[in-house]
Amino acid sequence: MSTETTLNEKQGHWILAKLGKRVLRPGGRVLTEWLVKNLDITPKDDIVEFAPGLGFTANIACSYKPFSYTGIDKNEEAAALAKKSIKYESARVINADAAHTTLADASVNKVYGEAMLTMQPLEHKRAIIAEAYRILKAGGYYAIHELGLQPDEVSEAVKNDLFKDLSSNIRVHARPMTAKEWKTLLEEQGFKVIKEQHSPMLLLEGSRILEDEGFFRTLKFLFNLLRFPDLRKRVQKMKQSFRKHQQNLDAIALVAQKPL
């Protein structure tokens, strides 16, 4: 079996990463930077990231010089990649489930995660949010950047059609939610949502790729698409799915606080 065939069986975000794409979040670099900025990270903070992936956001967060950074990833391959990618002396990566981090109660100040809750079934979403609440100190912040649905009144038929396409073409059981649903989910676990931001979901559109990756990395990504026709077909199918559901998809970032 060729390397390309093996890769083609993987989830969509891993294919994009192998093709050279670094920014894999639904709202792109701009929404990621908004999220990190609004966490108000200081040198006194112990921060935690759920599913750091390639370490792109971790390096932005660590540029604020927190007291410590801990990444949590249950995928061994991803954890190893993050360890190599994160350039900060006070950083570590733990191979664990975000719902069971092994961290102590009320031990950190800031927790965030991007594009990971979307891929979890509802009960695991709740378990991960509950874990963020448990490890946060009173007054601490939890921020998420996820795939959203719009409007809040979107029909179940539209949702189910979208879920089916994402599962078929991206090979993840993604379950994006409306802004109202995301906020309710956080509030049910005891958080108070204090900030909200949205961005169009344009992950595979040329303008967004250029904005996220810069000129030379965009060229590398396009060159790799030409080199691997089977992977190019997968990327084209992903792009078609996103375009088909564009009026109902967006990216949402929320910052929530654990009460004092």
Side-chain angles (χ1 to χ4, degrees), residues 104-153:
D105 291 357
S107 60
V108 303
N109 310 93
K110 312 280 167 69
V111 179
Y112 69 93
E114 297 182 288
M116 57 90 64
L117 287 175
T118 299
M119 292 190 249
Q120 311 301 324
L122 183 59
E123 286 309 308
H124 203 222
K125 282 181 171 72
R126 289 186 175 126
I128 291 168
I129 296 169
E131 181 70 351
Y133 192 91
R134 182 187 69 80
I135 65 175
L136 274 171
K137 296 175 181 177
Y141 291 162
Y142 175 44
I144 64 171
H145 172 182
E146 299 291 340
L147 196 55
L149 287 175
Q150 56 182 9
D152 281 336
E153 301 77 24

Side-chain angles (χ1 to χ4, degrees), residues 123-231:
E123 286 309 308
H124 203 222
K125 282 181 171 72
R126 289 186 175 126
I128 291 168
I129 296 169
E131 181 70 351
Y133 192 91
R134 182 187 69 80
I135 65 175
L136 274 171
K137 296 175 181 177
Y141 291 162
Y142 175 44
I144 64 171
H145 172 182
E146 299 291 340
L147 196 55
L149 287 175
Q150 56 182 9
D152 281 336
E153 301 77 24
V154 64
S155 72
E156 289 301 313
V158 169
K159 284 184 182 181
N160 290 332
D161 185 37
L162 188 152
F163 295 163
K164 181 180 176 181
D165 279 354
L166 292 180
S167 179
S168 172
N169 295 326
I170 304 174
R171 298 189 188 163
V172 295
H173 296 292
R175 290 293 183 271
M177 301 172 75
T178 66
K180 182 179 179 180
E181 289 169 336
W182 281 121
K183 286 185 279 191
T184 298
L185 202 60
L186 290 164
E187 289 163 355
E188 284 175 350
Q189 300 305 322
F191 284 106
K192 179 182 179 181
V193 177
I194 57 174
K195 293 182 181 180
E196 177 179 350
Q197 186 71 298
H198 293 258
S199 176
M201 218 306 279
L202 302 172
L203 182 69
L204 295 178
E205 297 298 330
S207 58
R208 173 67 65 76
I209 294 171
L210 188 60
E211 179 182 60
D212 285 347
E213 308 294 337
F215 180 74
F216 291 108
R217 279 197 165 269
T218 298
L219 282 183
K220 179 182 178 182
F221 178 66
L222 295 175
F223 176 70
N224 285 334
L225 282 175
L226 293 174
R227 286 178 63 207
F228 302 111
D230 284 352
L231 300 187

Side-chain angles (χ1 to χ4, degrees), residues 12 16 165-166 169-170 201-209 221-222 225 231-246 249:
L16 295 175
D165 279 354
L166 292 180
N169 295 326
I170 304 174
M201 218 306 279
L202 302 172
L203 182 69
L204 295 178
E205 297 298 330
S207 58
R208 173 67 65 76
I209 294 171
F221 178 66
L222 295 175
L225 282 175
L231 300 187
R232 183 169 70 248
K233 289 175 186 175
R234 277 288 306 281
V235 173
Q236 287 170 340
K237 285 182 178 179
M238 285 190 270
K239 187 173 182 178
Q240 287 166 4
S241 290
F242 293 149
R243 282 188 170 178
K244 176 183 174 182
H245 299 284
Q246 192 167 359
L249 277 176

